Structure formats: C-alpha cells, structure tokens
C-alpha cells in the first residue's frame, strides 16, 4: 500500500475532492485516503452501518472471478478496467499464481492511481497500466499500450468490477458495454460487479445508499435493477448462476455467517462471448 500522509500529497492530487479510488480504498480498510474520502463512507454508514461490506464483497468477487477465469478457461489476457489503487491481491497477482504467463493490463483515470498506483501495478513484464476513460471503449481498446500489449484478436477477460455504477447519468452503460463486447474475440469473458436495487424489501436500503453516495463528495453510485445489470452483458452466455449478489457467486465454502442486507445490494456476474 502506498501511504500518502495527510498534508503531504503531491500538488497534482486535489485532496479537497473525493476520489472513487480513495473512497473504495477507505472502505476496504486501506490508508491511501483523505478526510474528504472518508466522509463519503461515513455519510453512507448513517443509513447502512455495514457499508464497508459493499467494497469487501465487490473485491472478493473480483478475486474469485479472476481465479475462475484463470483455471476454467484458456484465457491468458486480462483487461482490468478501473483498476483502483493497488491492494493486497491485485488481478495480476491472483491470475499469475495460476497462469504465470497471464498478461494483465490495468486502466484507470484517477489522478491518485496514476500518481501512486501505476508503478506498483506494473510490477513485472507481464503487467501494464494505462490512463484512459473506461466509458470510451474505442479509446481504451485503441490505446497504444493496450494495442501493443494485448492481442485483441484472441480471447480476453474484460473486467468492469465496481466501475459502471460510477459512470455519469449522461452515459448509457449498456451501449458502452455493447461497444466493448463487439470488439472482443469469441471466447472472451466479461466480469461485472455493480451496485444493485433488488426491487424488494431491500430496495429502500439500496435507494437510501444511492441518494447519499450521489450527493456525497464522491458524487456517484447508481443502484441498478437486475434487468438493467443483465443488459450490461448483451449477447453473452452467462456462466451459472448468472447475476447474483457477489457473496453468492461461487463462494469459497458454505455460508456460516448471517448476511447483512447491504450484501444483497451488490451483484456480480460473468458472461462468455461465443
Ligand atoms: N475494479 C477494482 C475493484 O473492483 O477492486 C476497483 C474498483 S473502484 C470502486 C472503481 C475504480 O474505477 C476507481 O479506481 C476509479 O478511479 C475507476 N474509474 C471510475 N470511472 C472511471 C472512468 N471513467 N475511467 C477510468 N477509470 C474509472
């Protein structure tokens, strides 16, 4: 973990504005965050005491999905959109343990990730980082680093984990994903985790969290319905069990702990392009 010390941030990092990557880092128990980032989570905590579990379940899903792809498919190229700040188990560490030849390209546009994370994410010759806006598939896929490093004519695993719910409302996320998927080779896999409105008795909790996130210093965090989230995988064959709460997507074992309602407000799924 990089340890920015309060008051000693490089001049190009605006510590008066919350950053999605740093808010997430705080929710995961990291140290790469400032007061304005912590404020977002503390505001949500007032309506959802176990708000950190959203981040924990999201990250655990990323790790399990990465392991699944590395062991159950022959894919050895990963495009991790919205890498976030480096944490304990980054995508390349998870997949290269299982597939030592796997290449992992990270993309993010957060100034803190660009300033502190790039060097840590690019920690061997099979990892790269590039700064780009992941709402623009052509910009990402035609980025010179991506073009040079990944073979887009061969299957790729594309991650959009904990990212799409932060896109501005002016962006149509289903159209964005359709443009990514159109460019992927058959055999490619897409993994997505997204804030979720279950449209049942948990809906009120989801909408309260959404209101606080959207009006917080971070300013984003849409909770979408099952149909909206399934629409992010156009034309893909969903891997069993489809889009489900992240903690229920192939957990490491039987669940002994009682779930918290916030855990039913974030879902994940994996789809394959045939
Ligand atoms: N994918 C990681 C994970 O699941 O552990 C990190 C998730 S973090 C909540 C979301 C990341 O997406 C942040 O690092 C943020 O900077 C990045 N992000 C959000 N919108 C983005 C955009 N338009 N372009 C590039 N990165 C973006």
């Amino acid at each position: 973990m990089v340890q920015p010390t309060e008051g000693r941030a490089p001049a190009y990092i605006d510590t008066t504005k919350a950053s999605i990557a740093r808010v997430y880092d705080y929710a995961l128990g990291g140290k790469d965050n400032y007061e304005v980032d912590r404020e977002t989570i503390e505001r949500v905590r007032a309506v959802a005491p176990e708000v950190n579990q959203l981040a924990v379940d999201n990250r655990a899903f990323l790790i399990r999905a990465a392991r699944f792809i590395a062991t159950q498919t022959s894919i050895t190229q990963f495009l991790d959109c919205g890498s976030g700040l480096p944490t304990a188990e980054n995508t390349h560490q998870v997949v290269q343990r299982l597939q030592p030849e796997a290449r992992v390209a990270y993309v993010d546009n957060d100034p803190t990730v660009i300033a502190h994370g790039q060097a840590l994410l690019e920690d061997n010759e099979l990892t790269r980082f590039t700064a780009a806006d992941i709402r623009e598939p052509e910009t990402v896929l035609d980025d010179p680093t991506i073009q040079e490093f990944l073979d887009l004519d061969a299957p790729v695993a594309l991650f959009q984990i904990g990212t799409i719910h932060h896109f501005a409302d002016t962006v149509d996320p289903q159209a964005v994903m359709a443009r990514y998927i159109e460019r992927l080779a058959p055999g490619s896999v897409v993994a997505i985790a997204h804030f979720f409105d279950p449209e049942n008795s948990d809906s009120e909790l989801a909408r309260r969290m959404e209101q606080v996130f959207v009006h917080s210093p971070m300013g984003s965090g849409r909770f979408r319905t099952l149909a909206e989230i399934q629409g992010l995988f156009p034309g893909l064959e969903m891997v069993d069990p489809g889009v489900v709460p992240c903690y229920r997507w192939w957990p490491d074992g039987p669940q002994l702990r009682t779930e918290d309602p916030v855990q039913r407000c974030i879902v994940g799924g994996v789809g394959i392009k045939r």
Side-chain angles (χ1 to χ4, degrees):
M1 280 281 178
V2 181
Q3 312 265 324
T5 308
E6 199 86 51
R8 284 178 45 210
Y12 42 84
I13 293 178
D14 186 349
T15 61
T16 66
K17 291 206 181 91
S19 126
I20 297 165
R22 297 192 316 246
V23 169
Y24 181 63
D25 172 76
Y26 176 59
L28 285 178
K31 301 234 176 328
D32 298 340
N33 50 75
Y34 300 94
E35 188 52 41
V36 68
D37 307 307
R38 299 190 278 273
E39 186 188 331
T40 294
I41 293 296
E42 294 314 325
R43 280 200 208 171
V44 182
R45 199 185 307 289
V47 299
E50 300 300 326
V51 55
N52 297 63
Q53 205 63 40
L54 283 178
V56 170
D57 283 11
N58 176 83
R59 190 74 201 178
F61 169 78
L62 180 152
I63 292 170
R64 293 199 306 280
R67 277 202 314 249
F68 162 74
I69 295 163
T71 52
Q72 296 294 323
T73 76
S74 47
I75 290 175
T76 54
Q77 312 188 87
F78 293 75
L79 178 54
D80 189 344
C81 294
S83 60
L85 285 158
T87 179
E89 282 276 83
N90 300 297
T91 303
H92 71 278
Q93 286 149 338
V94 176
V95 300
Q96 287 173 357
R97 254 202 310 274
L98 299 157
Q99 289 277 1
E101 298 305 310
R103 306 163 87 80
V104 180
Y106 295 103
V107 187
D108 209 294
N109 69 349
D110 184 298
T112 312
V113 179
I114 295 167
H116 295 299
Q118 175 162 15
L120 292 173
L121 291 170
E122 286 191 324
D123 88 340
N124 65 51
E125 73 273 18
L126 295 174
T127 57
R128 292 284 187 285
F129 175 93
T130 194
D133 187 335
I134 60 172
R135 296 170 300 185
E136 297 172 4
E138 295 76 20
T139 307
V140 171
L141 297 172
D142 295 333
D143 179 278
T145 302
I146 302 298
Q147 283 284 325
E148 176 264 328
F149 185 61
L150 300 181
D151 175 6
L152 296 178
D153 293 328
V156 170
L158 174 77
F159 286 2
Q160 286 282 5
I161 301 187
T163 53
I164 296 171
H165 48 233
H166 293 297
F167 292 1
D169 290 343
T170 49
V171 174
D172 174 354
Q174 296 185 357
V176 169
M177 288 313 297
R179 277 154 56 203
Y180 272 111
I181 289 166
E182 193 189 345
R183 289 275 303 267
L184 298 180
S188 293
V189 166
V190 174
I192 299 174
H194 197 294
F195 289 163
F196 179 52
D197 174 353
E199 298 180 283
N200 58 21
S201 55
D202 293 320
S203 202
E204 195 185 328
L205 172 65
R207 292 300 169 194
R208 268 194 270 144
M209 289 194 283
E210 178 179 81
Q211 280 309 302
V212 182
F213 271 127
V214 169
H215 298 290
S216 74
M218 185 171 73
S220 63
R222 283 283 170 221
F223 286 67
R224 292 196 166 88
T225 63
L226 185 62
E228 288 172 327
I229 296 168
Q230 285 172 333
L232 299 172
F233 299 88
L236 301 189
E237 179 183 311
M238 295 308 293
V239 171
D240 184 52
V243 174
V244 294
C246 285
Y247 76 97
R248 286 191 202 145
W249 196 91
W250 297 103
D252 287 330
Q255 184 166 335
L256 301 181
R257 293 213 174 102
T258 308
E259 73 198 32
D260 187 87
V262 301
Q263 296 185 269
R264 299 192 290 264
C265 297
I266 182 158
V267 289
V270 174
I272 303 180
K273 180 168 177 177
R274 294 295 185 193

